[in-house]
Amino acid sequence: MENRPEPAADGRTERGRQTRERIADALLALLDEGSTDFPADKVAARAGVSRRSVFHHFADMSQLVDTAITRRLEQLAEQIRPLPTAGPRAERVAALAEQRARILEWITPARLAVMRMDHPSPRIRQVIDEAFADGRRRMEAVLAAELDPLPEDRRRDLADGLDAVTTWGAWHHWRSTGLSAEQARHAMEATVLNLLASADPRPAPG
């Protein structure tokens, strides 16, 4: 049978997808600017579409907020770059803290929006759980030289502590208590170094 070329993608479907993304990105832009509510008219104006178009693509504003927040959380992967897993401890910890600080600051508006939701969607909860798990795996890879030689129970306890101070909860605490982003990054870096030092073998008494 003669091979026939695949039919061209439906242009209307592609335009619809692009419009949905533009509307979701408009809401995210408002969120990044500090908005806490998102009337359809305001989102439509920011996206350059009509109010009617917003409700053509989304059943209601709750669905739009859910879609936009999920989109922002899924964009996390684009912010992550490979980190050193070998070399001096101070350099590895500095690289980890720099990347975490940048990402956590960027994700804060969306994370706060999720906290204001009465019932985040299963998709949002799934993406958050996946981000936490991926973040822990990456942190453990960067600090494997310090973690892996430890007995299992000590390794787990140290990894739990390191995970706690390199995720959004600690970042939000530092930022909401008045630290600048740079001060919060320094606090994270110093805390990680102190936790690692606490697990270093102690020299035998002389």
Side-chain angles (χ1 to χ4, degrees):
M1 174 182 284
E2 180 182 353
N3 290 330
R4 295 180 179 178
E6 293 291 329
D10 189 325
R12 287 175 299 179
T13 300
E14 177 60 18
R15 286 194 298 273
R17 183 190 65 78
Q18 292 176 356
T19 301
R20 282 176 61 86
E21 289 186 355
R22 189 161 71 249
I23 294 169
D25 286 342
L27 189 148
L28 289 173
L30 294 171
L31 185 68
D32 290 340
E33 292 169 4
S35 295
T36 56
D37 65 329
F38 312 99
D41 291 342
K42 190 174 182 180
V43 174
R46 188 59 177 264
V49 301
S50 67
R51 186 178 190 277
R52 179 179 178 183
S53 181
V54 171
F55 292 110
H56 172 75
H57 291 283
F58 300 94
D60 52 33
M61 293 305 292
S62 294
Q63 186 188 64
L64 169 55
V65 171
D66 187 284
T67 300
I69 296 300
T70 302
R71 179 168 167 77
R72 171 55 54 84
L73 293 171
E74 290 174 338
Q75 289 169 346
L76 267 175
E78 300 170 10
Q79 302 292 319
I80 297 171
R81 299 292 181 269
L83 290 171
T85 57
R89 175 186 297 181
E91 293 180 8
R92 287 180 285 118
V93 171
L96 175 67
E98 185 282 326
Q99 180 166 275
R100 288 296 171 89
R102 175 170 45 80
I103 290 174
L104 294 171
E105 185 73 6
W106 175 75
I107 204 68
T108 288
R111 193 70 181 89
L112 291 173
V114 172
M115 291 174 66
R116 291 192 294 268
M117 291 180 173
D118 292 332
H119 303 289
S121 72
R123 179 56 182 159
I124 286 180
R125 291 195 295 270
Q126 177 189 357
V127 173
I128 290 174
D129 289 346
E130 289 172 352
F132 282 157
D134 184 63
R136 176 158 180 149
R137 285 192 298 270
R138 291 175 184 275
M139 177 273 294
E140 291 183 348
V142 171
L143 304 177
E146 289 78 17
L147 290 168
D148 290 351
L150 297 174
E152 182 57 33
D153 57 342
R154 290 187 63 201
R155 185 192 190 285
R156 183 179 60 254
D157 289 344
L158 180 56
D160 286 344
L162 293 166
D163 188 40
V165 301
T166 57
T167 50
W168 187 80
W171 182 260
H172 181 55
H173 169 76
W174 287 321
R175 295 290 278 124
S176 63
T177 53
L179 271 63
S180 67
E182 178 57 24
Q183 289 170 329
R185 183 206 59 75
H186 178 76
M188 180 189 295
E189 184 175 340
T191 304
V192 170
L193 288 170
N194 287 333
L195 284 171
L196 294 173
S198 72
D200 284 341
R202 304 191 183 281

